[in-house]
Amino acid sequence: VYNFGGHGIVSNQDVLELKLFKSDPERYHLESDHHQLIENNNNYRRFNQNQYTNQNSSNPPKSRERRSSGRLSDATNINDSYSDFSRNTGPNDPNRIGYHIDQKLAKWGGGVFNQERANDKNFTTDFLVTRALNILQEDKNKPFCLMLSIPDPHGPDQVRAPYNTMYTHFKFEEPRTMHTPEGLKDPLWVKKGKKNTAKSIKQHNMAQYYGMVKCIDDNVGRLLDFLDQNNLTQNTIVVFTSDHGDLLGEHGKINKGLPYETSARVAFMMRYPKKIKPGKYIEKAYTMADFTPTILGLMGIKTSKEFHGMNAAKDFKSSKKQLINERTVYLTNANKRWVSAVNNQYKLVMSPLDKPWLFDLKNDPDELVNFYNNPNYSAIAKSLKKELYVQMGLYNEPLEISDLMK
């Protein structure tokens, strides 16, 4: 699955998302999910529209209203140094109501972990999963829909004990693409300035990153165990996905925002024993716009709503163990730096900054070689360019075709 927006269009925060749907078409109905974005100290948090946000009230919110996917969970007083329900006592006051979360706001406005205080009760990943389990406990006897957004793995690359030392004995190797091989050049849409540039692997940060992933893995296990213990496994759709990848040194970059596989491609793992056979492998390009119609299709929900994405329910429900399809999807960058067309083997990237780049993802998985001017790839390049132009028009791409270098 590819991030349709590349960077900054689809999601306002960096998250791993676990979505659970208990299917019952006769009783299920759709309600629009409204959110409001609150900006404080240059740090975005997402709140449900019904979220308790009254800064002047001294009453804590009701349990069903305290659902947040922000990095400072349950932060009703967003100017407080710690995320708590009460506002008239200090962060270390024993009479303070609610939870102390594992972060405080730094002078620059971002979240800083207090590793000594973080534990399996207040660390962000554990805390959010515990709240999710509480919701599932309340709703387990009726159809439910739950989206759990886990902020990690994310900077500042810190995790609670014992995960913070699990991988410190590892020696992490540099990616093959960190330094451009001799004789090859980087695309000009890969900017290697001071920001978001990797010149070497930071061993401590990587150990913490792996620890964050392990903590997530264990907590997802808590959710799956709950479904097993409550006989919900067969009739619950579980989707594990993310909004983007991390380059982690690939192509000399750290984070995201590029059309490379390790940035724009994300996992889309689905479990639905009632209708999807385990071990199925689908080699077909999807985008995040396909999520909603596909999930509704699996649940048998019929709606007159039109979606940009496709309903891929048939792909997942098919009896084939492996499905291969050459569908081409369109990706774009929020900063108008590039657009891309990609299928299950080839990726064309066009930009106002550089000539077209064509990658062969099977013969060059590291995406180092430009095959665009290779005569053996001329038909592929022509086909992808034609489809890219069609989808740019279909989805009102801000970049004009005339802006792209040919």
Side-chain angles (χ1 to χ4, degrees), residues 144-164:
F144 58 74
C145 173
L146 169 69
M147 185 175 80
L148 170 63
S149 296
I150 300 175
D152 284 339
H154 196 283
D157 294 337
Q158 291 179 300
V159 65
R160 70 167 176 87
Y163 300 99
N164 59 333

Side-chain angles (χ1 to χ4, degrees), residues 176-186 192 251-252 368:
R176 294 188 298 270
T177 65
M178 173 171 276
H179 307 289
T180 307
E182 186 176 351
L184 296 177
K185 293 182 179 180
D186 292 321
K192 293 185 177 180
H251 302 279
L368 291 170

Side-chain angles (χ1 to χ4, degrees), residues 18-22 64 67 129-148 222-227 230 232 236 238:
L18 186 79
K19 308 178 183 185
L20 300 97
F21 308 85
K22 184 180 177 186
R64 299 289 290 185
R67 303 185 186 182
V129 170
T130 298
R131 297 299 297 278
L133 288 169
N134 291 341
I135 294 170
L136 291 176
Q137 180 64 37
E138 294 177 16
D139 294 348
K140 65 181 181 180
N141 294 320
K142 57 186 178 183
F144 58 74
C145 173
L146 169 69
M147 185 175 80
L148 170 63
R222 294 171 61 198
L223 291 164
L224 299 182
D225 286 346
F226 177 90
L227 298 178
N230 289 274
L232 295 170
T236 301
V238 180

Side-chain angles (χ1 to χ4, degrees), residues 117-131:
R117 291 180 58 187
N119 54 49
D120 61 358
K121 299 293 189 296
N122 62 26
F123 184 64
T124 307
T125 298
D126 305 277
F127 176 81
L128 292 176
V129 170
T130 298
R131 297 299 297 278

Side-chain angles (χ1 to χ4, degrees), residues 21 69 88 99 151 182 185 273 335 355 382 389:
F21 308 85
S69 58
N88 298 319
Y99 295 89
E182 186 176 351
K185 293 182 179 180
N335 297 318
K355 61 188 178 183
K382 184 178 180 180
Y389 288 174

